[in-house]
Amino acid sequence: MDKILEAVVMSSYPNNVKQGLVRRVIEAAKQPMDSEQCWSMLELSTKLYLTGDTKYKREIGKEVLEVYGHYHPEEFEEFFNVRFLLSLLQEGYGPLGKRSHYVLDYIQLGLQFVLESPSANSIFSLLRIEVLRKVCERPSPKQCAKICKLLTQHPQCIPTGKHQLLFCQQLIRCIGQFQCVSEGEEEIMEFLEQVNKVSGLLQRIWRTQTSAILPSLKELFTIISSTEEQEAPSNALASVVQFVPLEIMDGVIRNLTNDDSITDVQMMMAIGRMIDWVSWPLGKNIDKWIIALLKGLAAVKKFSILIEVTLSKIEKVFSKLLYPIVREGALSVLQYMLLSFQHSHEAFHLLLPHIPRLVATLKKEDSNSATSSLEQLAELIHCMFFRFSGFPDLYEPVLEAVKALPIPNEDRIKHLLGQNAWTSQKNELASFYPRLASKSETGKIGLINLGNTCYMNSIIQSLFMASDFRHSVLNLTEGNSQPLMTKLQWLFAFLEHSQRPAISPESFLSASWPPWFTPGAQQDCSEYLKYLLDRLHEEEKTGKRIYQKLKESSLMSQAVEHHYLNKTLIEKMFGGKMMTKIRCLKCLNVSSREEAFTDLSLAFPPSDRNVRGSTSILPVEEIGPQFIEPPENAGQHMGSPWIQRKGPIASDHAAPSVSVETLGFQESGEAANPICGNGVGVDAAKDPLSTFGEQACAPKDSRSVPDLINYFLSPERLTAENKYHCEKCASLQDAEKVAELTEGPHYLILTLLRFSFDPRTMKRKKILDNVSIPVVLKLPILVAPEETEEVCQRGKDGAVPGSGFMTVVYDLCSVVVHSGISSESGHYYCYSRECTDTGPHGQPRDGVPKPASDKQLDFEIQWYLFNDTRVSFSSFESVSNVTSFFPKDTAYVLFYRQRPGRQSCLLHEALAEAGCLRGEPSLHKDLMEAISKDNILFLQEQEKEARNRAAYISALPKSPLWWRDLDRDKDDDSSSGGCSPAAGGGGSGSFHGLVF
């Protein structure tokens, strides 16, 4: 009968004819027959099943085997013996070089017919040993899956005792070497199924033998933490972790993170490879294990590992949000990585270029998964904006991308940041602040944040960029008896000459720290600036004068010496004078008092008051001719400050209006075109030369710096409880108070009083009004009549003949921005540029300053953005638009520099003669040596860190390039199938990139 069957199978008859003949043979086999005939048929069917070159032949072999197993059990048991099985497993079946791949399938098929036979136990014992040996030989995923299928169907064949533990460990090692060699969707799905069968067997073993779980996990960790492997272990290992009970997770993580035998490099290798598992589409709870290990490392303060792994892996995790099948787990890991990485903006900034494209892709997908992910991603982004404010130029495209998505409230943001931080002790991360390999491309140097010291950093950078002040400080001689000024000199010198990308102002902080400030808490930068300038001023007054040497050399005239050398450096640079006058409204007697100031604190007018339209001593006007003509019918009180505010006052005479102005750009020789008297609005033009043209007008409901100055200088009525005690009347009387600037400072500092006390909440609240900032400001300065006459004759400074005022032009040089809603919290950063004189020592060649309207505004002067350690190029457009894009980021302290004119020429000449403005100052020997030594030390530190980082980075697992995932998503509408990134199914290539 075997000969007949073989002849039929090998014949060239059509399959339907063969099938009929085979059916007859099989039916005949169900009848009793002799042992020899059975053996012949079993041998033939074994040959067909194991070596048949077509699926048809193997199916016939299988059918015959099953018939003989059912109808001839004794002969089948005799044939299917231990020796035969041992030969199959160890030597294989078929010609050398073409051994059959179906041995395990054959054994699994035959086992069902010998389960009750006397030889069953012998066969099980044999298979327990042989499957362990097979697994130790690292079979292919397909063969390994067959072993596991066999053992799953026949658990009696699973190794027992110590062999079972070894089997689990070797099975995990097999999974670690699984690789899918094809990129076809069908092959990938088959590979995933094979992996699932193998990991499913482990789950079955662990359920019955929980004692095997921990040794298995230890083997898994050994594999993923190994630094000696030539190839990275397969991501298929993720399938093992999904079956580990979550109840033991805390104990496992605690043991791992407290195991002193595990090196940092091994731990970093392991967590890096685990993070790669987010790509595995069939894994459950993978994200929970990754996050648990990250938290465990934070608990034992392994911050260096966390930082390196986060920075190297976060972009890849982010790219997996493209795929719905792994999106949930990837988003969980991404959320923890970002929310815990709070000491530096580095991790978040790595994602900035990719966020807009991902958001666009998720919106296009239009699925529940995409919508949910978008909302969570937007919440995450706003948390990062809140934590790392001060990067408006970088954040603008991201803000635009997520503007239509929900914004979390501040309590929610603080909750998320609070519960995910690595540590509540900020000083524990002090040494891990952003590591910058080299100086910023700007050539400028940043300042390290020493724990909420951004308020100081912003002020120091603003003072440093005030070039005249910086040069004067750097020119200080040794032994000047000014310890705080000396520390500032050293700090400025390092900012000027250090090779470090950022330096620590720790020494200066400790010396300039206001005693009432709370260490580690956010402070008011304006309060710090006032304290610092006052300290420097008082120190110089009581010590040696900076310009003592100039006095002795008699290089200056006695008048100039008396006027300037009696002043401290702070007075020369930042000091101005203001006259406060109070007029009794009954007797019209006027009392006056002159005060010095280093900054003007500008309050916001009440919301019901329109400053721009009000009648005040200094109404904002559109820019007209350079010289403001007096009114034709000027009264006898020419130049009087008293202007009607509410109602006419007896014997009150009108006074000419003197404008606080902002300048626009004009072509030489053309008449000045009127523009709005405020700075650039929120929709400023891109073209720098048109920035102050028509588009310079801010929205009607917005404020401008001139508005606030007008309000500051406008008369104030003293009535009711605020009545004035008039000495002439000898009683309390209604009065009017007005302030007038009598001397403009070289550097004008304006503080916008944004913080006010709210009696309802008992907290200081912030005024978030947008205030447009002019790049050029014209201030009226009150002068004596004889001075006005002289100035008008010489054609300087735009004096108003007979009015008592002259205009002084100021250029904006720094803007300190506060980001936040409270003075006790938030963040400070600053925009700055170096404003210098265009001519020698600030004077034109003909000795007469050109009118400000003829002087092209310095749009070419580069703006910089200083944000602690980070310094970047910026623009005035960014300064102007920051609040419109980020409502909590508002200008707070402004620095303006006076252009050379009558008031300032004496100071400019004095500084020039003293050598302060002739090129870069030369530093004294000790300071130069200190900088040189520190630069050498920095280079040595860089070399050492480079070696250490090379060792760390080389330990990180090499994973596929993350950006391929993002590049692959190019809005290709021609792609089909359910595995596109949007659908989460299979398309050729994309699915392979996801898993591997």
Side-chain angles (χ1 to χ4, degrees), residues 371-660:
T371 302
S372 173
S373 298
L374 273 173
E375 291 177 356
Q376 293 179 67
L377 184 63
E379 182 176 70
L380 191 57
I381 289 169
H382 283 289
C383 286
M384 295 297 98
F385 283 167
F386 181 86
R387 181 65 187 86
F388 304 116
S389 55
F391 302 92
D393 298 349
L394 290 177
Y395 293 168
E396 202 172 296
V398 177
L399 187 67
E400 182 69 21
V402 301
K403 65 181 180 181
L405 297 170
I407 301 174
N409 60 44
E410 188 168 335
D411 289 339
R412 170 66 176 166
I413 290 174
K414 289 180 177 178
H415 171 71
L416 289 172
L417 291 171
Q419 72 177 9
N420 288 285
W422 285 338
T423 173
S424 58
Q425 304 300 318
K426 295 181 180 179
N427 59 334
E428 291 181 341
L429 286 164
S431 60
F432 296 106
Y433 278 87
R435 299 147 306 168
L436 305 171
S438 59
K439 286 174 81 169
S440 159
E441 61 181 353
T442 63
K444 303 296 182 183
I445 296 173
L447 289 169
I448 295 172
N449 191 314
L450 302 173
N452 281 330
T453 57
C454 52
Y455 67 91
M456 178 188 72
N457 291 349
S458 298
I459 292 300
I460 290 175
Q461 294 286 19
S462 298
L463 293 175
F464 178 80
M465 293 297 284
S467 53
D468 298 336
F469 177 64
R470 179 179 75 244
H471 289 165
S472 297
V473 172
L474 292 176
N475 269 299
L476 284 173
T477 57
E478 290 183 86
N480 52 59
S481 302
Q482 300 175 63
L484 184 58
M485 186 69 84
T486 300
K487 286 186 179 294
L488 183 62
Q489 180 189 42
W490 278 64
L491 183 56
F492 277 6
F494 273 82
L495 285 174
E496 185 92 47
H497 300 288
S498 177
Q499 293 300 313
R500 295 180 182 274
I503 60 175
S504 170
E506 185 173 6
S507 176
F508 188 76
L509 173 66
S510 60
S512 62
W513 182 276
W516 60 89
F517 276 15
T518 303
Q522 185 61 277
Q523 305 294 342
D524 188 329
C525 75
S526 173
E527 187 178 3
Y528 173 77
L529 174 61
K530 289 182 175 71
Y531 176 79
L532 175 61
L533 295 182
D534 186 60
R535 278 275 311 274
L536 293 171
H537 168 69
E538 292 298 326
E539 187 179 79
E540 185 177 352
K541 277 179 63 178
T542 57
K544 183 180 178 181
R545 296 283 185 261
I546 292 179
Y547 293 103
Q548 184 66 36
K549 189 174 182 180
L550 285 177
K551 273 188 175 182
E552 296 171 355
S553 62
S554 300
L555 291 175
M556 305 169 69
S557 66
Q558 291 298 317
V560 172
E561 180 179 331
H562 176 77
H563 186 70
Y564 283 100
L565 295 189
N566 287 335
K567 290 188 173 184
T568 64
L569 178 59
I570 300 304
E571 288 176 310
K572 294 171 190 172
M573 292 295 168
F574 305 103
K577 290 184 180 178
M578 180 170 57
M579 182 74 74
T580 302
K581 297 179 180 179
I582 301 178
R583 182 179 63 169
C584 175
L585 294 182
K586 182 178 181 181
C587 67
L588 301 184
N589 181 56
V590 177
S591 64
S592 60
R593 178 166 54 94
E594 190 173 52
E595 298 175 293
F597 68 87
T598 54
D599 81 308
L600 296 180
S601 298
L602 306 180
F604 283 72
S607 56
D608 58 349
R609 172 162 183 192
N610 184 359
V611 176
R612 203 168 286 154
S614 66
T615 306
S616 68
I617 184 63
L618 300 169
V620 174
E621 291 184 350
E622 295 178 345
I623 291 182
Q626 180 63 29
F627 296 101
I628 303 174
E629 299 296 333
E632 293 181 5
N633 300 318
Q636 60 180 355
H637 295 285
M638 190 67 67
S640 168
W642 313 113
I643 304 296
Q644 294 180 13
R645 293 186 67 191
K646 294 184 178 179
I649 300 173
S651 305
D652 193 13
H653 298 276
S657 297
V658 182
S659 301
V660 174

Side-chain angles (χ1 to χ4, degrees), residues 736-747:
E736 206 163 36
K737 181 172 74 172
V738 70
E740 297 170 340
L741 301 178
T742 57
E743 183 178 319
H746 185 63
Y747 283 102

